[in-house]
Amino acid sequence: MNEQSIFHLISDITKQEGVSCILIGGFAVNYHKVTRQTADADFLITKDGFEKITDHLKNAGYRKDLEQENFAQFKSTKLSLMDLDFIFVNQETLEQILNESHKTRIAHQEFFIPSLNHLIALKLHSIKHNQKIRLTRDLPDIINLIRINEVNIKDEQFRRLCLKYGTKELYRLIEEAI
């Protein structure tokens, strides 16, 4: 396996195991024109897909730091590799996001990035289900994504997205910020 970077590693093991994943988090935010530092790489994946790559990650120098029903975090034992977060979704959700995703190249490796609306929906969902931790992390990303990409927050489709994946209160906070 090519271990030049985390991107080579993930690309190699997902191809080897026939697993689809989507790059989310800070790298996806950056793709959508908002500059943000990130200390880890975040991926959307099915639980089955994750289980297929777990041993490869351990063999590459990762240790599982945390695993919950819909989330796993791996810490690198090597300074050269970023930490990893995996968010678990069902196959239907993964395929739906993949169908509207964008391809990008990082470290000469091809990755899928969610569409702007899917990225915002993922962040809204994250805040909705863990507001204490995620509000201060994800709401600024959402607001910057809206501003930089000139999203019309008064559009009915956008409002429905906010209400479906977030809450009325989150939509109100977005309106106030914009």
Side-chain angles (χ1 to χ4, degrees), residues 36-136:
R36 178 162 80 69
Q37 295 288 344
T38 186
D40 62 7
D42 305 281
F43 293 92
L44 204 61
I45 192 168
T46 64
K47 181 79 171 183
D48 289 342
F50 171 75
E51 289 171 359
K52 289 179 181 178
I53 67 170
T54 299
D55 286 341
H56 294 286
L57 294 171
K58 289 177 182 175
N59 292 338
Y62 279 93
R63 65 175 170 72
K64 195 181 296 181
D65 191 52
L66 174 69
E67 185 171 357
Q68 298 173 343
E69 183 180 341
N70 295 312
F71 175 80
Q73 188 173 57
F74 277 76
K75 297 288 184 187
S76 175
T77 59
K78 298 178 180 180
L79 290 176
S80 61
L81 294 176
M82 300 177 99
D83 292 342
L84 294 168
D85 291 343
F86 294 93
I87 310 300
F88 308 137
V89 294
N90 63 39
Q91 186 66 37
E92 180 182 345
T93 300
L94 187 71
E95 287 174 13
Q96 194 174 27
I97 295 172
L98 275 170
N99 285 338
E100 295 180 33
S101 67
H102 307 278
K103 288 182 184 178
T104 191
R105 294 186 76 76
I106 301 175
H108 305 290
Q109 306 303 305
E110 191 173 86
F111 289 93
F112 292 97
I113 302 282
S115 69
L116 180 60
N117 280 347
H118 280 138
L119 181 58
I120 291 171
L122 288 165
K123 291 188 163 293
L124 287 166
H125 184 268
S126 179
I127 295 169
K128 181 178 179 177
H129 293 284
N130 198 353
Q131 189 163 345
K132 268 188 170 179
I133 294 172
R134 302 307 312 184
L135 184 66
T136 58

Side-chain angles (χ1 to χ4, degrees), residues 138-157:
D138 289 326
L139 188 59
D141 282 346
I142 293 168
I143 290 164
N144 287 326
L145 287 164
I146 289 167
R147 285 181 178 152
I148 298 289
N149 292 282
E150 299 178 355
V151 174
N152 178 3
I153 64 167
K154 299 296 183 187
D155 179 75
E156 184 58 26
Q157 183 180 358

